Every structure is written in structure tokens, then in C-alpha cells.
Amino acid sequence: MQIKKASFLISNSDYTKCPESNIPEYAFIGRSNVGKSSLINMLTNINDLAKTSSKPGKTQLINHFLINEKEWYLVDLPGYGYAQASKESKEKWKKMIEQYLLNRENLYCVFVLVDTRLSPQIIDIKFMTWLGEKQIPFCIVGTKADKVSSLIVKKNIVSLEKELLKTFTLVPQIFITSAEKRMGKDQILDFIDTINKS
Ligand code: GTP
Ligand code: MG
């Protein structure tokens, strides 16, 4: 699949105010600064569609984008684990995201982004375990693969798989990407297309 058209629709803090849930929806989530907005810009071929920043905590709301002519929604979610955020704003984030993930009935798959430069992070494992417990379908996207050697990427992904196998019977699909090198785009879009057509 190629994205021919992508446009920003609406930002929300409340899932009940999200657009009508009549087409498939795919959400992107992960630690603050992991590269969610950059990945979305790569997938859509529009450099400034989702706002990116070198400082963590840029995306604060549930952001809906409409892909092609009412084909599917892409959602940019605010990152978790931003150390500098206040306790109050962390709680607010948790409530907003959990409500969205638990109640959005057209959410076909969540893409959980992890930084390929790092060994498995407890916060990511905890979040994936929560998704698993709630039976929310997800897959994993390794980001920033241009920043380290492919050997390190491989090592980190293998340890992530090992860590996940402690709680999951099967490891979800893992995509390796680089927004910088425009790598992994076709694999993710083809995956979405296959689900949309099934
Ligand atoms: P929040 O909205 O704050 O949670 O961040 P985010 O996950 O949306 O991250 P964002 O896309 O804003 O990227 C964070 C920083 O990482 C920016 O400086 C990006 O330029 C950089 N970055 C993102 N993806 C890549 C990548 O694939 N390669 C490299 N080298 N840098 C990247
Ligand atoms: Mg962002």
C-alpha cells in the first residue's frame, strides 16, 4: 500500500470525542522521544504532518490523521516515561491513554515503538504486558536503527524477544525502522493493508 493522501483531523484528550469509529484505526505509542511522530511522517511521506521535537514530551494529545479517502485512521499518541513530567500529568496521561486503548472499538492494532539502540526497557515490557493482559492486539517497531550497527540492533531485538517470551507464548511481529534512512516503511504499510483487507 502507498499513502496517497494524509491529513490531520483532530486532537483530543478524551476518547469519546474521537472521530466516528467506522474505519480501521492504527495507533503509535512508545516512550517519549522514541520517534513516533518521525515514523508517522516517514509512513505518510509528509515531513511535518506530526510535530517532532528533540525534546521529549512534544505530543500531548490523541492525534487523529485520516489516510487516503476515508480508508483508515492513523493515531499519534503522547509518549510515556517522560521523567521530567509531574506526577499529576503522568496520571492524566495514563488515564487518557488507557481509556482510549480499552474503549476504541475500531483499533485494529497498536504499534509499540522501542529504541533499537537500547536493551529491553522495563517500562516497555510493562506496557506490552498490560496490552497482552487486556488482549489489545499490538506489534513492535524498533526505531532509530541508523544510529547503531545492525549487530547491536539484532542483539537488542533478540533480548527483547527473550524477555517477552517470559510472559507471552508468541512474540508479536517486530519491524526494524529508521525515519532518517526511510527504512521499514513498506513492511509496516503492507502489514496494515493486509489487516485492512482481511
Ligand atoms: P514525543 O512526542 O515527545 O513523545 O516524541 P516522539 O516519540 O514523537 O519522537 P519524535 O518523532 O519527535 O523524535 C524525537 C527525536 O528523535 C527527534 O530529534 C528526531 O529527529 C529523532 N529521530 C526520530 N526517529 C529517528 C530515526 O529513525 N533516526 C534518527 N537518527 N533520529 C530519529
Ligand atoms: Mg511525538
Side-chain angles (χ1 to χ4, degrees):
M1 183 212 338
Q2 282 303 314
I3 293 184
K4 291 179 227 94
K5 211 173 154 193
S7 51
F8 169 72
L9 265 188
I10 192 167
S11 293
N12 273 298
S13 60
D14 181 350
Y15 82 92
T16 60
K17 299 197 182 113
C18 288
E20 199 186 348
S21 53
N22 57 348
I23 51 174
E25 181 156 318
Y26 298 86
F28 293 80
I29 196 163
R31 275 189 317 122
S32 215
N33 217 39
V34 70
K36 299 174 292 295
S37 302
S38 304
L39 181 81
I40 289 168
N41 292 341
M42 171 178 82
L43 293 177
T44 57
N45 274 334
I46 307 178
N47 271 340
D48 54 357
L49 187 68
K51 300 281 168 275
T52 63
S53 166
S54 54
K55 292 197 203 92
K58 175 75 184 169
T59 311
Q60 301 269 359
L61 297 163
I62 303 166
N63 297 297
H64 272 80
F65 299 89
L66 183 61
I67 306 300
N68 296 339
E69 296 295 337
K70 285 219 106 206
E71 197 179 344
W72 52 283
Y73 291 128
L74 186 157
V75 175
D76 188 14
L77 293 170
Y80 50 77
Y82 176 38
Q84 258 77 53
S86 67
K87 203 176 161 200
E88 192 191 342
S89 68
K90 278 184 192 156
E91 274 307 307
K92 222 171 92 190
W93 176 91
K94 193 163 180 263
K95 210 171 147 201
M96 169 173 91
I97 301 302
E98 283 188 359
Q99 286 305 309
Y100 163 79
L101 293 171
L102 289 169
N103 295 298
R104 188 74 175 155
E105 64 257 348
N106 59 331
L107 184 60
Y108 279 31
C109 186
V110 178
F111 290 91
V112 182
L113 274 62
V114 298
D115 192 328
T116 54
R117 295 173 296 177
L118 310 175
S119 54
Q121 302 289 295
I122 293 172
I123 192 161
D124 293 328
I125 303 287
K126 271 192 178 162
F127 181 69
M128 292 183 216
T129 308
W130 181 83
L131 288 173
E133 280 164 11
K134 302 295 175 193
Q135 301 191 336
I136 299 168
F138 74 95
C139 48
I140 298 168
V141 177
T143 63
K144 307 190 185 183
D146 59 284
K147 286 204 159 187
V148 283
S149 72
S150 55
L151 215 66
I152 295 193
V153 170
K154 186 132 198 240
K155 179 177 136 291
N156 289 333
I157 293 301
V158 168
S159 4
L160 176 65
E161 286 174 333
K162 270 194 189 149
E163 201 54 48
L164 286 170
L165 282 171
K166 291 181 185 167
T167 37
F168 290 86
T169 339
L170 285 172
V171 171
Q173 179 135 3
I174 304 182
F175 300 96
I176 304 298
T177 69
S178 159
E180 187 71 30
K181 293 267 184 309
R182 312 193 61 74
M183 167 186 155
K185 178 181 164 203
D186 292 345
Q187 288 83 347
I188 293 179
L189 291 179
D190 288 347
F191 175 82
I192 292 175
D193 199 39
T194 306
I195 304 180
N196 283 346
K197 286 187 173 135
S198 65

